[in-house]
Amino acid sequence: PAEYSELSYLVANSIRHHPDNLEWTYLHARLLQREGDYAAAATAYADLLKTLPEERVEDRAALMALQAQMQFFANGQQADEDLYRLATDALALVPDQQQALGLAGILAFELGKYQNAIDHWRVLWSGLPQGMESVALENGIRRAAERIETAGGSTDLSWLQRSGIEISVDIAAAVRQQVKPTDTVFVLARSESGPPMPLAVQRLTVADLPLALMLD
């Protein structure tokens, strides 16, 4: 903790002497964020945006998302239209910016803009692999849809399913006679024109076969 406090002091002091150093300013904002001083972090990100060149579009979108997130925390996680506008402005620069998509969805949901929340989260969900994060996001999407239905509306969630290709995996009878049921079988999925490393791997045993696998 003592070293952390010293680092924070040194960075703040460096910024006073070199206010145009964007790297120092960004590091200071991250330190404030980690310390839980969300209001100061939001201000630091906003100040950084004022000096960041317009052509650095991706960096500007990321900073806008961070500023909105920090202000959201500073407000006690209360949404407002200004925060939502800041998140959507970030998306106008980079439509698939993940942090902005997630936050925009949360803000839209809290503001009662349930279809907007679904639209933001749909883009985010489509870019996530199957896992705990995508499952949590799917639950949020379904909650937003329930709110719409409760109000007498409807929304199409037919897209909320993973596309995939089912394949059948087995080994020839002649090969089976030469191996043991406990021997390992690796199923590799590789890109036809991509690098040699597999896109996906499934570890099985001979005893598991034949088996149907879903590539998704």
Side-chain angles (χ1 to χ4, degrees), residues 96 98 101 120-130 133-134 137 162:
D96 60 351
Q98 289 196 350
L101 283 169
H120 296 311
W121 285 337
R122 177 178 182 174
V123 179
L124 182 58
W125 182 86
S126 299
L128 290 176
Q130 181 67 32
E133 188 176 1
S134 66
L137 194 57
R162 297 289 179 182

Side-chain angles (χ1 to χ4, degrees), residues 2 7 11 20-21 43 45 47 54 68 80-82 111 127-128 136 140 161 164 166 177 189 208 215:
L7 174 62
V11 171
D20 296 331
N21 189 308
T43 300
Y45 287 129
D47 290 343
E54 293 290 338
D80 60 48
E81 291 290 349
D82 289 338
L111 291 170
L128 290 176
Q161 55 184 347
E166 188 173 80
Q177 294 176 4
D208 294 324
L215 298 175

Side-chain angles (χ1 to χ4, degrees), residues 27-108:
L27 178 57
H28 186 230
R30 297 293 290 188
L31 291 172
L32 291 169
Q33 177 177 335
R34 181 167 178 175
E35 290 169 359
D37 193 347
Y38 300 124
T43 300
Y45 287 129
D47 290 343
L48 190 54
L49 273 167
K50 295 175 184 177
T51 57
L52 193 68
E54 293 290 338
E55 61 269 18
R56 293 178 60 173
V57 175
E58 291 190 1
D59 289 337
R60 291 187 65 82
L63 285 173
M64 291 164 76
L66 284 168
Q67 180 191 346
Q69 183 184 53
M70 291 304 99
Q71 193 60 56
F72 179 58
F73 289 149
N75 293 352
Q77 298 189 32
Q78 296 295 313
D80 60 48
E81 291 290 349
D82 289 338
L83 285 180
Y84 182 56
R85 190 178 305 110
L86 184 57
T88 54
D89 285 348
L91 293 173
L93 294 177
V94 181
D96 60 351
Q97 216 285 339
Q98 289 196 350
Q99 193 167 18
L101 283 169
L103 182 60
I106 292 171
L107 294 170

Side-chain angles (χ1 to χ4, degrees), residues 116-156:
N116 288 14
I118 292 173
D119 293 340
H120 296 311
W121 285 337
R122 177 178 182 174
V123 179
L124 182 58
W125 182 86
S126 299
L128 290 176
Q130 181 67 32
M132 292 181 63
E133 188 176 1
S134 66
V135 170
L137 194 57
E138 181 177 335
N139 291 335
I141 292 168
R142 295 193 184 281
R143 284 200 301 272
E146 288 173 2
R147 298 290 180 90
I148 293 174
E149 292 171 0
T150 300
S154 63
T155 186
D156 180 17

Side-chain angles (χ1 to χ4, degrees), residues 10 44 90 92 119 173 197:
L10 289 172
D119 293 340
M197 70 274 293

